[in-house]
Amino acid sequence: MTTTLLRTLLLAYLFAPLMAGAVSPMVVKGWNYSMALRTDGQVFVWGEDTFGQLGLGRAAMATAPQMVPGLNLGVAPSGAQIAGGDTHTLALKSDGTVWAWGGNYAGQLGDGGTAGQSAPVRSGALGNVVTVAAAGARSVAVKSDGSVWVWGGNFDGHLGDFPEGARPVPAQVAGLSDITSVAAGYQHTLARRRDGTVWAWGANFAGQLGTGSRGDATTPVRVPGLDQVTAVAAGYGHSLALRADRTVWAWGYNNAGQLGDGSTTNRTSAVQVSGLADIVAIAAAYGHSFALQSDGSLWAWGNSSDGEAGDGTFTDHLQALKVPGINGLIAVAPGPSRTIVLGSNGTLLGWGSNTNGELGDGTTQAHRTPAPVTGLTTVQALASGQYHGAAALADGSVWTWGANYAGQLGDGKATLQSVPVALSALKSVTALCSVGEFSHAMALQADGTVWAWGFNQHGQLGDGSTHPRYAPVAVSGLQGVSAIGAGEFHSLAVREGTVWAWGANGDGQLGDGTTTTRLVPTAISGLGHARAVAGGFSHSLALQSDGSVWSWGANASGQLGDGSTADRLVPGQVPGLANVVAIASGADHALALQIDGSVWSWGANYDGQVGDGSKQDRLAPAQVPDLTDIVAIAAADSFSMALSRQGRIWTWGAKYTDPYSAEEPPVNTSPQEMTDVDQVSAIAGGYSNSLAMRSDGTVWMRGYNHSGQVGDGTLVFR
């Protein structure tokens, strides 16, 4: 298959959504915000969020792409889509249901009310939907039987022959059948029938219905003189059609040349856009238009007062011109005064107005020419502190977000970040760890060196000082390290099988036989074949290559697993455990994963974190019931997590809820399956947050977020 043919097929899918198959990537626009749909069904949003239209819980704005939490559109049996109106967003799941969020004053969410929603809600009982569109304060959907359904504001006949006002539930448009696609303009709607004819209704002040007159239509009317149409697009007051011969036709408002016929004269009937051939897709915005050629080049015409044309000028264009520096495109999503395009390599470019961060480049500065949107790359390692998170990407870079009062983000500042920021000082990172209320973090690089930053009152950064570090510093004297671990105020590392520790030592958690604080790493005797280490509030664990587990430090709740509550200043073997392949530690409890997929736990159990169905502390390891085929474990504070081979997450212990709720937080004393996320490949737990990385590389997080630690651009509890 040639590249041109492949691109053509992708474009046919994006602009004729009846074709079944896996999700194709796409970008769409709202009024002052933008959205992207990835091939894995994940939705990313950025820009203004005044009405919750980003689905992020009403942030002021997001200047870089954020994933819509709790929403996956799926990949089968048909393609998923997203669409944006002025202040609301629609999402079509692959199961044929429609979901919406944002402004709802005219019922445009379709949930039966007019209250805004900052998280996705289902639009009525619609099913078997194959395509959606949105504009202004209304929504449109086409079902698999060819019927068209509308809801939201009905002014000037926008919704068809219904009473004026708000319509908060979807209703079928009479007189339309065998429809394959729709386009929503600001006050009018277009529909393409399977026979290639175009039908229109709504406002017609500039001739945007294409009927030869300027009278509004409350019922669909056929656009005369057009046949063999393969796609339609609608702007503020103008309309576009792509015919089978790959020519583009336009009609309606033309004050800025958006019809592309060389004039500024409004047209009540379709005219051909001059100078265009071999076009495979079209798009229309407030006062400008776009066309994609089969070679992936982009052509623009119309208004460019904010640089919408992308040619570096603010000059309107009455005829189509080729946007310089753009090629290999598969989709374009123009907004009122800016444009986002999707390249065949999966990258995004944007230009035009950027007042609300809608270009997604992390700024609010306008661009006259295309500029990259902040990249979204695959994550390979996770870590979470009490109020912050961190991720290592496949390229070895590290990104952090959340609270930063002790410098735990490592970005050289002491201010919180509600979206991830990169740590430029770190490269080729292979592991991360961070725990504790007064957080510090560590990163292991591919060269075997360890770097640390954040809180350092007890010397837990290992640089010989007790000063906080707002940027990563090298841990003194450590090279050839293969694994790291962190406790509340102490740190651990494995170097050629030996275990090294530093930081606070009041309970013997450093394992050197003393209770003396160490500002630099100190070797622990008696452990020469260690593979992994883990730290709790004031105790430590080590996994030996023979599958045995060793522990030392505080033991008031039995977290050392030796059957007693006596502290221990040197490592001792945890009895009753063999063939262990992974360990994890919460504040005062511990977990071990055996090679047969079983999970064992011990220690404090006041929130059910041991998972044995009780709240009684357990002084020796016991198997966690009802867990089989487990491949990974995680623990933090007073909850535990397990990941099954099937990509499902099981949790038990404290079940954190809204911190402002007066209700007592519930607990799970036995493992419960997390049903709202699947295909997980890695897990991590923080003080009051849990993270999951899916096999597609996306990161999911829940829990407290008052400092932005969820990293979704909001401060809303998840």
Side-chain angles (χ1 to χ4, degrees), residues 89-105:
T89 304
L90 298 181
L92 170 61
K93 287 191 175 185
S94 58
D95 62 4
T97 60
V98 179
W99 296 73
W101 59 94
N104 197 26
Y105 57 89

Side-chain angles (χ1 to χ4, degrees), residues 368-600:
R368 298 186 190 182
T369 57
V373 176
T374 303
L376 302 171
T377 54
T378 302
V379 175
Q380 68 172 11
L382 305 173
S384 177
Q386 182 169 4
Y387 299 128
H388 76 287
L393 306 189
D395 61 3
S397 63
V398 175
W399 297 71
T400 59
W401 60 95
N404 200 20
Y405 49 83
Q408 53 263 52
L409 299 191
D411 62 350
K413 304 175 183 178
T415 56
L416 70 84
Q417 299 286 347
S418 61
V419 294
V421 294
L423 304 189
S424 58
L426 295 177
K427 305 293 182 183
S428 303
V429 171
T430 60
L432 292 167
C433 65
S434 179
V435 299
E437 177 180 3
F438 302 100
S439 299
H440 72 291
M442 293 195 298
L444 172 62
Q445 295 200 143
D447 61 4
T449 60
V450 180
W451 296 70
W453 61 96
F455 198 63
N456 195 31
Q457 183 177 359
H458 302 278
Q460 55 263 51
L461 301 187
D463 66 345
S465 79
T466 56
H467 303 301
R469 301 295 184 180
Y470 298 146
V473 294
V475 176
S476 301
L478 277 185
Q479 295 179 341
V481 173
S482 58
I484 54 177
E488 182 78 11
F489 301 116
H490 71 290
S491 304
L492 304 164
V494 176
R495 176 185 178 186
E496 298 176 351
T498 61
V499 176
W500 295 67
W502 60 99
N505 196 27
D507 293 298
Q509 56 263 51
L510 300 189
D512 64 353
T514 76
T515 56
T516 302
T517 295
R518 306 291 182 180
L519 305 186
V520 294
T522 301
I524 299 175
S525 59
L527 294 173
H529 303 282
R531 296 171 48 192
V533 285
F537 186 86
S538 55
H539 75 284
S540 304
L541 303 175
L543 172 62
Q544 293 272 71
S545 59
D546 62 2
S548 63
V549 178
W550 295 64
S551 62
W552 60 97
N555 195 30
S557 300
Q559 56 263 49
L560 299 188
D562 63 356
S564 77
T565 57
D567 296 350
R568 190 164 53 229
L569 303 185
V570 294
Q573 185 172 350
V574 178
L577 286 178
N579 300 315
V580 173
V581 294
I583 54 175
S585 180
D588 300 306
H589 76 289
L591 304 176
L593 172 64
Q594 289 192 337
I595 197 171
D596 62 1
S598 63
V599 178
W600 296 67

Side-chain angles (χ1 to χ4, degrees), residues 223-384:
V223 180
L226 279 180
D227 56 11
Q228 299 183 7
V229 171
T230 60
V232 289
Y236 171 77
H238 75 290
S239 304
L240 303 177
L242 175 64
R243 298 186 64 187
D245 62 3
R246 296 190 174 183
T247 59
V248 180
W249 296 71
W251 60 97
Y253 203 34
N254 197 29
N255 66 311
Q258 54 263 55
L259 301 189
D261 66 348
S263 77
T264 56
T265 303
N266 295 347
R267 306 290 185 181
T268 60
S269 299
V271 294
Q272 186 173 350
V273 179
S274 59
L276 289 180
D278 201 25
I279 300 302
V280 293
I282 53 176
Y286 190 86
H288 57 292
S289 307
F290 289 96
L292 284 176
Q293 280 192 320
S294 61
D295 63 0
S297 61
L298 181 66
W299 295 73
W301 62 98
N303 181 54
S304 191
S305 58
D306 286 299
E308 294 96 319
D311 65 343
T313 73
F314 295 128
T315 304
D316 294 347
H317 299 283
L318 307 186
Q319 292 182 307
L321 80 157
K322 189 175 183 179
V323 180
I326 294 291
N327 54 68
L329 295 186
I330 61 174
V332 56
S337 56
R338 56 81 178 74
T339 303
I340 302 290
V341 296
L342 172 62
S344 57
N345 61 356
T347 60
L348 298 177
L349 294 172
W351 62 91
S353 176
N354 195 26
T355 304
N356 296 281
E358 51 264 52
L359 296 185
D361 64 347
T363 77
T364 55
Q365 298 176 346
H367 297 288
R368 298 186 190 182
T369 57
V373 176
T374 303
L376 302 171
T377 54
T378 302
V379 175
Q380 68 172 11
L382 305 173
S384 177

